[in-house]
Structures are given as C-alpha cells and as structure tokens.
Amino acid sequence: YEIFPIIIYLVFFGTGIYIECAAYMASTLSTLLLYTNTHLSSIRDNIETENALQKSQMQLMVSQIQPHFLYNSLSTIAELCEEDPVLAEKATTTFADYLRENMDCIGSETPVSFAEEMKHVEKYVWLEKLRFSDRINVFYQIACTDFAVPALTVQPLVENAIKHGICKGDGAGAVTITSYENDRSYVVTIADDGIGFVPSEVMNDGKQHIGIE
C-alpha cells in the first residue's frame, strides 16, 4: 500500500495529466483502496463473530437437552402411563413444550420477556419434581416481570442449582428464584441451600463450562 500511490502517480503523470491532478487522484484512489480493504476486513470479523455466537447458542441449547434428562423424563412418563394416564398425558405435553422452546432459541437474536423465560423455568421444574417429588422445593419470590432477558439464561441456572446443588446431596433442598428492581437495574437471583462449591476449583478443573465462560 505504501508504493501504490507512487505507481498511480507515475501512470497518471506519464499520460500527461498535471502533477497536482495526478497526485490528488493517486491519493484518492489509494485511500479508497485502504478503506475498502479495512471495510472488508471488518465484515469478515463480524461474520466470524456471528458464526461463533451461533455455535455458542447451539452448544448452550444442546447442553440443556442432555441425554440423561431426555432418558429420565421419558422413563418417568412411561411409568406414569400405567399408574396415572392423565398425569402422563400432561407430562408428555409439558415435555414436548419444553423441547420446542429450547429449539426455538436456536439463532434467536432478540431477548425474551422475563415472564416468558419463567414459564420455561416452571416447565423444567415441574418435570424434575415428577422424578424427585418433595426432595426438590422451588420457591418463587417474583416482584417484577416487566423486563427482557436473553433466552435460556435463567433456566440453566435453576438447572445447575438442582443438579449440582440439591441432587448431589443426601436429603431434600430448596431453590429460591427472586426478581426485583432497584434504582439502576432489574436483578434476578437463583439461590440454593445445597452442597455448595468452590468457584476457583470449578474454573480450573480443565472442563468446558459454557455458562461460566
């Protein structure tokens, strides 16, 4: 790019164009070329970022439909078909809705209402309580819902609280979901009284943690 203006200058000067005009045209064309190259580079970076985001969304979606959850939910529904057909029908519908909502989040570029996200959370909690019954207790302290969140942000936190906090312990436990508004923002918290963990150990365990990253 440093020699490009000189080449253009010599070409225009050799054709008899005035020096000032040749210098101006050389400078203009060189600047245009540099701008075009920078713009194309920016477009490539944006495409790569978008592709990485879509891949991350796919990983997040897949991480929320682990085979063990599919197997356990279907096994529970199969048992209910004989014991309580009416409840089995409701469980099947809830399970289908849960999967559909996960699929709908693939490629989503817009946030969803907190109220909509909570409906998804409630479906997940209901399915888990079919398996664990009174071992899992979930309390909702929702003071506000009139705000938006990225899709699939609250449900994975509730799932982690149940899976890693409550179910790894020996007894029953509780998860509390809270939302409220302060002077600066909306706040959502998910807390459990399970076994707990050491954050530094999780961050350095050599495993991939999509949510934490």
Side-chain angles (χ1 to χ4, degrees):
Y1 292 118
E2 288 80 3
I3 198 173
F4 187 72
I6 300 176
I7 295 175
I8 295 179
Y9 175 81
L10 292 176
V11 170
F12 284 132
F13 184 70
T15 58
I17 298 177
Y18 291 110
I19 294 177
E20 293 81 359
C21 181
Y24 174 76
M25 295 181 70
S27 175
T28 300
L29 289 174
S30 179
T31 301
L32 179 61
L33 178 62
L34 288 171
Y35 170 79
T36 302
N37 181 72
T38 301
H39 183 62
L40 290 176
S41 177
S42 177
I43 292 176
R44 284 195 299 269
D45 290 343
N46 289 338
I47 291 175
E48 291 176 0
T49 300
E50 183 177 349
N51 290 337
L53 177 59
Q54 290 178 348
K55 181 179 179 181
S56 176
Q57 290 173 330
M58 284 289 292
Q59 289 176 327
L60 180 60
M61 184 278 296
V62 172
S63 75
Q64 302 314 309
I65 314 178
Q66 296 288 355
H68 76 271
F69 180 71
L70 293 174
Y71 174 80
N72 291 331
S73 296
L74 291 173
S75 295
T76 301
I77 293 172
E79 293 177 3
L80 289 172
C81 286
E82 294 184 2
E83 300 173 2
D84 190 337
V86 175
L87 183 58
E89 181 180 1
K90 180 180 179 181
T92 302
T93 302
T94 302
F95 184 59
D97 288 342
Y98 173 83
L99 292 180
R100 177 181 54 78
E101 289 167 4
N102 271 274
M103 293 299 224
D104 288 345
C105 290
I106 300 177
S108 175
E109 298 180 356
T110 57
V112 299
S113 69
F114 179 70
E116 183 178 345
E117 177 74 2
M118 285 305 301
K119 290 180 181 178
H120 191 61
V121 169
E122 290 167 0
K123 290 185 178 70
Y124 169 77
V125 169
W126 190 84
L127 290 167
E128 287 290 65
K129 283 186 69 65
L130 278 182
R131 293 175 54 209
F132 296 106
S133 187
D134 293 337
R135 189 181 173 193
I136 296 175
N137 299 287
V138 179
F139 300 99
Y140 301 92
Q141 298 177 354
I142 309 300
C144 59
T145 59
D146 190 21
F147 61 97
V149 295
L152 285 183
T153 49
V154 180
Q155 185 267 332
L157 295 177
V158 176
E159 180 176 354
N160 282 349
I162 293 175
K163 179 179 177 181
H164 300 291
I166 306 302
C167 291
K168 287 188 176 181
D170 295 328
V175 176
T176 303
I177 306 170
T178 305
S179 73
Y180 61 91
E181 182 181 6
N182 59 27
D183 293 337
R184 297 183 302 155
S185 59
Y186 295 98
V187 181
V188 179
T189 65
I190 293 87
D192 69 80
D193 58 3
I195 61 173
F197 69 99
V198 180
S200 59
E201 292 181 0
V202 175
M203 291 295 291
N204 299 308
D205 63 3
K207 300 178 182 179
Q208 184 180 25
H209 300 280
I210 296 174
I212 294 177
E213 291 179 355

